[in-house]
Amino acid sequence: MAKKRRTSKAGTKTAPKKVSLKLSKKNKIIIGAFFMALSVALFISFISYFFTWQEDQSRLSAFSDRNAETTNLLRKFGASVGHFFIYKGFGLSAFIFPILISLTGLYLFFGLDKLKLWSKWIWGLIMLIWISIALGFFADERPLLGGLVGYEMNDFLQDYIGNIGILLVLAFALITILVRLFNFSPEAIGKFFSDKRKQLQTEFKSEDTPLQPAANNGSITLQTDSALEEEEELKLDTYTHKKDIPPLNPESGLDVNLPQEEEHIDLEVSEVAEEKEEGTLKAEQLVKDFGEFDPRLELGNYKFPTLDLLDPHGVTGGITINQAELEENKDRIVNTLKNYKIGIAQIKATIGPTVTLYEIVPEAGIRISKIKNLEDDIALSLAALGIRIIAPIPGKGTIGIEVPNKNATIVSMRSVIASKKFQEAEMQLPIAFGKTISNETFVVDLAKMPHLLMAGATGQGKSVGLNAVITSLLYKKHPAEIKFVLVDPKKVELTLFNKIERHFLAKLPDSEEAIITDNTKVINTLNSLCIEMDNRYELLKLAMVRNLKEYNTKFKARKLNPNDGHKFLPYIILVVDEFADLIMTAGKEVEAPIARLAQLARAIGIHLIIATQRPSVNVITGLIKANFPARIAFRVTSKIDSRTILDAQGADQLIGRGDMLYTQGNDVTRIQCAFVDTPEVAKITEFIGSQRAYPSAHELPEYVGEDSGTSVDYNISDRDGLFKEAAEVIVIAQQGSASLIQRKLKLGYNRAGRIIDQLEAAGIVGPFEGSKARQVLVPDLMALEQLLENEKNTP
């Protein structure tokens, strides 16, 4: 009869006892010793593997062969274990395994807490993986350092998160390990450096002579090396007690504990503030109180012209692609070249507003010059005017053939002004010329050109191009920032801008009209601009800056004192419509100041835009041409004119009506100039002119022409009160000019001009010499005193 299961009093069955696998102390010591021995064996195997792995790797397959030999210190065991853990495993980080196994052996051998051991295994494995991936990433060319695991994991991560992602993961894991294992924190780093600083201070103080107290009526004498040498004592009161201290009695045998000096006293060093210049401090205070100077404040309510003032000219859908025309032109080009045994490997079309560019790739062995010489034949086959061949296209391995479209698209000024490229242009003087052959808005910076030369035959779009330039600037710049000097010998092209005279135009003080049409006034204006240039350079020198942008930035920051003559300087744009007419009538009198302005004026914000009908060498001389790197060529009548303006052919093959070539010293770009009609310009000027303006147009410096010079003798009694001071200024500077007297003595230009005439009459300066400064006839101050003394003694 089977035995019944024992039940409890309540009748329930009792649970079976759990079996506990608890090692005895002896077993722990034995296993611990085994793990320590194993860790040493692994450590030796790993070290030996790094020196013998190449020799042993080919013999690993013969592990079961007893006769096979290996060079590892632990023979076949060491070679196999090293190959498994280092080559196929984790590389250099595999040394963490012997460390962890050794710690396990120590914990078992000495019977330590197991929980801390598990923590060390977890973090050890994490560091093992981190080091393996890091070595696989940074030592990609040496896979033995990171092992196969590090290499494969790094390759896997690169496919999904890339190199930057791996760096971020490694950095995050490293910070986690440092924080969790080593209590890394920013405060700990700060404390570490603070302790180092205190230690250095302690060492520094320990080198000094210790303090020696002396009983001297409650005071302490500080004795230092220098004090001992000079035998001087410095007494400092140190301690004040609320209770009376009993006098010392040597016979009483009582020890009286006086307050002791602290061993180490921290020296707190306050930060030394950099002493700023007085002018800088005043400028910062002014900016703090009033903010930066705003040149727009006088016309703070000025509103820029709106896009509604410009007409879209019926173009809303962009360029229309005529597929049939493209195929027809392609076939004609291919057939024409085939007739001359020129094969084409590839052809591509880029459609522009007025011209389509066909890019062809000729077959191997075809000479480029052979295609270039077929320009007229291709034009004949296409029955088109203005075929232009670019062989080769700069920056591409293709040859370009530009063919005019049968139905040209008008590029409206509204479309280029509204373009993102113009609206977001971060330029000082942005100009939107039109659209390129790839239908992109072409925007350039006039300040970087720095001067522009335009040429083209009558009726090809020069005046429209000038209107486009001026319109671009009107849409971008405030009246306080830019001024125009307009020269119009034809008297009808630029008259529309009279309405914005008090906003945007500059003129001579005695001129009635701001737009200059008289050639005599042109000469005076150009020389006045030279004076303005010299005055601006003097201001830049005093402000210690190199260009107008730096000067205005410094002035806006209130670092320049207006009492010293400083002021905000606007850009000045000189626009000349018919330069050839000026050269014919005035000649050298115009060429000299134009050349001087072109050479020097770009740094101080004076820029020139010159247009002419015939760009011949006697109009555009070498002196002028050298200083106009930016050039625009509308259609001209001959190849010679094209070479004169562009230094290259092509302008004679344009199709007119705003079709133009632009160069700035490197590549030539074909552009369809934006069309702005006369009614549009009238609406823009009416919109600006109806707003509040300055009291008058911007005044240029007064220019005393050659006819205004005088040789009439002035009586000594009629001389200006500042005559002697002005004479001393002229003699010291050895430069005879009214602008110098105006700056040094803070006079108006009219008074300075009268003083110059008196100095000429007195024989101190020479006669007028055009734009040059007058010659100073007195060498030094001693000779000047002698000259003035002789005048007094002369009856």
Side-chain angles (χ1 to χ4, degrees), residues 591-612:
E591 183 184 354
I594 286 283
R596 189 160 183 260
L597 288 170
Q599 289 172 351
L600 300 174
R602 60 178 178 268
I604 43 86
I606 298 178
H607 301 280
L608 280 59
I609 301 174
I610 293 178
T612 182

Side-chain angles (χ1 to χ4, degrees), residues 153-363:
M153 292 185 71
N154 176 61
D155 188 60
F156 174 80
L157 290 173
Q158 279 189 354
D159 291 337
Y160 284 91
I161 60 176
N163 291 335
I164 297 176
I166 294 176
L167 284 174
L168 294 175
V169 170
L170 289 174
F172 172 73
L174 178 62
I175 292 172
T176 304
I177 293 170
L178 292 174
V179 170
R180 300 292 298 179
L181 289 183
F182 305 101
N183 294 325
F184 169 85
S185 66
E187 292 80 9
I189 296 177
K191 188 175 183 302
F192 173 78
F193 286 106
S194 177
D195 293 340
K196 285 291 183 183
R197 182 174 63 84
K198 290 181 180 179
Q199 183 180 354
L200 291 173
Q201 290 177 356
T202 303
E203 293 174 0
F204 175 78
K205 289 182 179 179
S206 63
E207 295 175 1
D208 294 340
T209 304
L211 300 179
Q212 298 181 359
N216 188 10
N217 298 327
S219 63
I220 292 178
T221 304
L222 300 179
Q223 297 184 0
T224 61
D225 294 339
S226 59
L228 290 173
E229 290 175 2
E230 299 177 4
E231 297 182 357
E232 293 180 358
E233 293 184 358
L234 179 64
K235 296 182 178 181
L236 299 174
D237 293 335
T238 54
Y239 301 100
T240 303
H241 305 284
K242 294 182 179 179
K243 296 182 179 180
D244 295 335
I245 300 176
L248 295 178
N249 185 2
E251 299 178 356
S252 63
L254 298 175
D255 292 330
V256 180
N257 295 324
L258 294 175
Q260 298 294 323
E261 290 287 330
E262 293 181 6
E263 283 186 278
H264 308 303
I265 302 175
D266 292 339
L267 177 64
E268 184 178 351
V269 181
S270 60
E271 184 179 353
V272 180
E274 182 182 355
E275 185 177 355
K276 296 184 178 180
E277 297 179 2
E278 184 181 356
T280 304
L281 292 173
K282 287 182 178 179
E284 290 181 355
Q285 186 62 36
L286 286 171
V287 172
K288 185 177 179 182
D289 293 342
F290 303 104
E292 285 194 347
F293 173 77
D294 185 6
R296 302 184 177 192
L297 202 58
E298 189 173 351
L299 297 183
N301 295 326
Y302 174 80
K303 294 181 180 179
F304 287 86
T306 61
L307 288 175
D308 298 337
L309 302 173
L310 296 170
D311 296 332
H313 293 290
V315 178
T316 55
I319 296 174
T320 304
I321 300 175
N322 190 336
Q323 194 67 35
E325 182 183 350
L326 293 176
E327 291 293 331
E328 183 182 354
N329 288 340
K330 182 201 76 171
D331 294 338
R332 288 183 177 180
I333 291 173
V334 172
N335 293 331
T336 302
L337 295 177
K338 191 181 293 183
N339 292 336
Y340 293 93
K341 297 181 181 179
I342 298 175
I344 296 176
Q346 184 181 351
I347 187 166
K348 172 186 170 186
T350 303
I351 305 170
T354 56
V355 175
T356 298
L357 173 66
Y358 294 89
E359 295 182 53
I360 62 174
V361 179
E363 291 180 349

Side-chain angles (χ1 to χ4, degrees), residues 558-601:
R558 302 185 186 274
K559 294 180 180 179
L560 301 176
N561 192 347
N563 294 328
D564 296 335
H566 292 293
K567 57 185 177 181
F568 181 83
L569 300 178
Y571 287 96
I572 296 179
I573 313 298
L574 171 64
V575 180
V576 181
D577 191 8
E578 284 296 339
F579 186 64
D581 184 63
L582 293 180
I583 292 293
M584 290 173 62
T585 55
K588 294 293 182 182
E589 291 180 299
V590 169
E591 183 184 354
I594 286 283
R596 189 160 183 260
L597 288 170
Q599 289 172 351
L600 300 174

